[in-house]
Every structure is written in C-alpha cells, then in structure tokens.
Amino acid sequence: MTNQTIAFVLGTRPEIIKCAPVIRECDRRNVPYEIIHTGQHYSDELDRVFFEQLQLPVPECNLEIGSGTHGKQTGEMIVEIEKALTDGDPDVLLVQGDTNSVLAGGIAASKLSEVAVGHIEAGLRSYDRNMPEETNRRVVDHVSDYLFAPTDDAQQNLLEEDIPKARIEVTGNTIVDAVRQNVGIAREQSDILEQLNLDSEFALLTAHRAENVDTKDRFTALLEGVSQVSKECGFDVVYPIHPRAEKRMNEFDIEVPSEVHLIEPLDFLDFLLLEDQATIVLTDSGGVQEETCILQTPCVTLRDNTERPETVAVGANRVVGVQPDQIRNGVTKMLEEPTDWKNPFGDGTAAEQIVSTVINDER
Ligand code: UD1
Ligand code: UDP
C-alpha cells in the first residue's frame, strides 16, 4: 500500500469528465486523494451535473475563482491553489488537459518542492500560439514530473522539446476509459433522442472556442456553413450551446439559421448518446474530436488546426476551418468514407496505469 497522497486540481467540464476515471480508480484502490476545484466552471450544467452523473465526491475545496481575464483568473487561482496545497500537503498533484485551471495548478505545485506534478494528456501540440490552450499545455508539460502522453505522437512532441524520456509514459487517453464506462449506460438510460424528436439522421454541433465564437465574422461563417450542410444533406442540426458562445451570440446579435436547433448544454450521458447516434459531428472541441473517433462517428473539425492529428490520420476527422464551402466539402468527403478506423487513444486502461505509476514511484 502506498503512502503517496494525490491532489487533483480541476475546474472545467472536460477536466471533470477526463479526471473521473482516475478519481474512480483511486477510490477502487483506496488511494487517498483530495479534489481542489478552481471554480472556473460554476454553472450547474458545466459542473455539478458531471460530479453527480459520474459519481464523484463533491470537492471539499472549491476556490470559486469564476470567470475573468486570463491574467486575473489564472493569477487568483495560483494564489489559492498554493494555499490549498500547503494545507493539504499532497505528494503529487494531477492536472488534466490545457485550461487555465491546469496552468495554475501546474505552476503553483511546481514551486512547492515537496509536491510533484503529473500532467494527464501531456504532449498535445497545435503549434498555434494564438490559442491560450497551447500556451497552457506547453508550460505545464515543462514543469511536470510525470507526463502521461495519450499516444506515441504526443510522446514524440515532448521528446522534441527535450523533455527527458524517463518522465514520460504513454498511457492512452482517459477519455477512452470514460467513454467505455458510460456509453452502455447512455444507450440504456438516455431518452435524449425522444426528448429532441430525433427519429432520423441528424448532425451534432458544438462550437465554443475563443478563436471561433469571440469573432463575429468567424462565428457567423461557421453557422452559415453548418446551415448549408443541413439544407444540402437534409438533416437537422442540434447545437447544445456553451455559455461562452451563447453570450457572444447575443452580444453580436447573430441570427441563428432555422436549421440549427439551439439547446442547453447536455449532461455526459445525453451528449454521448447524441455523439454515438449522429450521422456526423461538427465541432471545435478537443474532447469531442476524441470521443467521435472512439465511437466510430465521422467528425468535421471547425478549426484551422488540431492538436489531435491522430484522429485525422486514422480517417475519423477532417479539419476544415469555418468557411461555408470548406465545411460543406468536408462533410461530403467524410460521409463518403468508411467508419471502421482504429481508435488511436489506447485500450481504456489509462487511469489504471496513471494511478499505478503515481503510487509506486516517488519523484
Ligand atoms: C474553457 C477553457 C477551454 C475549454 C473550455 C471547456 C481556458 C483558457 N479555456 O473555456 O480550453 O475548452 O473551458 O468547456 O481555460 N461561463 C458561464 N458559466 C460557467 C463558466 C463560464 O456562463 O460555468 C461563461 C462566462 O461568461 C465566461 C465564459 O463562459 O466569461 C468563458 O468561460 P472561461 O472559463 O473563461 O472559458 P471557456 O470558454 O469556458
Ligand atoms: N460535453 C457534454 N455536454 C455538452 C457538450 C460537451 O457533456 O453539451 C462533453 C463532451 O462529451 C466532452 C467534453 O464535454 O467530454 C468536451 O468539453 P468541451 O468541448 O467543453 O471542451 P474541450 O474538450 O474543447 O476542452
């Protein structure tokens, strides 16, 4: 039995979902841990719903930092995470992904010599420094003691930045664990298809990235492209809208094409079922590119690049940008291709591997 204690710093929807298998693995093996929630996401539909559905304990420590500019949000998080880590005195801090919460957790822990930092989903690179997430993931990789890379390509990115191989372990992505643990339950329990009256083919849309929704022209072009796809292919589009996108849509006074059905953000089981059953998924989300690849659903990525090139290499995804003709073209091509690609993100044992490494090794 280990003496290592683990802390998780997390703050947003994707971190809760992708840390869930690791937290549950700690529970299964009686490994002591604490969850420090930064409060970056605080609306119930981006936060509480996932703790409940994924059977995670409510974090005892919620820093309630909330929204703000990058500097304010990240700076306040660093101050409060440092206090929480000093009080809790864990041996290892685990962070997952590339948000400001992850950046703040990584920086705060790396300055405390007694706390090792483990980065889950290390080594992803879009090579686009305009994305705040690219800065976050690079910095955290370089202050981490354990780098849990999802794929060999991610490991290679780290080696090319002179990160020592001894720190890196290729585990697969914990999202495979999460999808496998939940898709059967979603198929049995979710009635979202009935709720939305989806009895024929449909497309699922998510768009929330700053580089898409914070610019009126890009957001409008994206919606126009999706609307043209809908008219051309004859299927409805369902768009569970992220609060950031909704706020911008209102600010920019964007008229949503009638083919695009806006709904509230969904819980994980309902969303998984839509991803599983959709004819095609259009997205700018990182996690959604992975999940569709795991579920054998074709994906078109509404961005100029991706840090998940494995999805493109196996034939599960096309990266098309936001211009309407490119979106239409991308959808047409994806719908012509077979969907029997191989999942590149591992065998669903990432959480097991991560916990084993952390508790058996003292760095
Ligand atoms: C953040 C991450 C992004 C990730 C996304 C997951 C950073 C820099 N960005 O983006 O990488 O893909 O989470 O969903 O860390 N808001 C609410 N309720 C909430 C949270 C936010 O209404 O619970 C609204 C606020 O108006 C806020 C805006 O959304 O200003 C943006 O929130 P923020 O946390 O800054 O970034 P996200 O766009 O959520
Ligand atoms: N998701 C969800 N409900 C929704 C939209 C997304 O549960 O309405 C889940 C999705 O299954 C994935 C994660 O949220 O696991 C992706 O989060 P998001 O797109 O916000 O962030 P990103 O992955 O781009 O950082």
Side-chain angles (χ1 to χ4, degrees), residues 81-250:
I81 293 169
E82 182 182 63
K83 284 187 206 152
L85 291 176
T86 308
D87 290 348
D89 196 25
D91 299 295
V92 185
L93 172 72
L94 291 178
V95 289
Q96 191 289 330
D98 54 22
T99 66
N100 287 348
S101 297
V102 173
L103 175 65
I107 290 184
S110 71
K111 305 256 179 176
L112 298 171
S113 55
E114 63 281 14
V115 185
V117 182
H119 187 199
I120 304 172
E121 202 177 80
L124 273 60
R125 296 289 180 270
S126 67
Y127 298 101
D128 178 356
R129 293 284 286 275
N130 292 318
M131 293 179 63
E133 292 85 0
E134 181 75 356
T135 305
N136 295 348
R137 58 173 85 96
R138 274 177 188 264
V139 171
V140 175
D141 281 340
H142 283 267
V143 298
S144 289
D145 303 281
Y146 301 92
L147 294 104
F148 299 110
T151 63
D152 290 335
D153 287 355
Q155 170 171 248
Q156 191 54 37
N157 292 338
L158 297 169
L159 294 174
E160 282 168 15
E161 291 174 19
D162 293 331
I163 290 179
K165 190 157 197 238
R167 290 189 202 158
I168 309 170
E169 183 178 346
V170 179
T171 57
N173 195 310
T174 59
I175 195 61
V176 180
D177 311 28
V179 169
R180 292 209 180 154
Q181 285 162 16
N182 291 288
V183 71
I185 306 174
R187 286 177 189 146
E188 260 175 39
Q189 293 182 3
S190 170
D191 62 358
I192 191 69
L193 297 174
E194 292 78 20
Q195 275 185 48
L196 299 176
N197 281 322
L198 293 170
D199 51 10
S200 56
E201 289 198 308
F202 68 95
L204 175 64
L205 168 67
T206 80
H208 74 282
R209 291 265 160 205
E211 70 266 23
N212 280 340
V213 304
D214 287 4
T215 312
K216 184 177 182 183
D217 287 352
R218 274 185 80 89
F219 201 2
T220 309
L222 182 159
L223 290 169
E224 173 57 25
V226 173
S227 147
Q228 289 182 14
V229 165
S230 168
K231 285 185 194 139
E232 209 167 279
C233 301
F235 39 64
D236 282 342
V237 180
V238 182
Y239 179 11
I241 191 163
H242 186 290
R244 179 188 203 105
E246 189 174 25
K247 189 171 143 195
R248 294 301 187 209
M249 197 174 254
N250 293 334

Side-chain angles (χ1 to χ4, degrees), residues 13-34:
R13 168 168 75 184
E15 295 161 67
I16 302 166
I17 293 169
K18 287 175 163 176
C19 283
V22 188
I23 295 170
R24 289 173 54 155
E25 182 65 12
C26 288
D27 279 334
R28 199 180 67 81
R29 289 158 75 159
N30 290 322
V31 175
Y33 68 87
E34 66 169 327

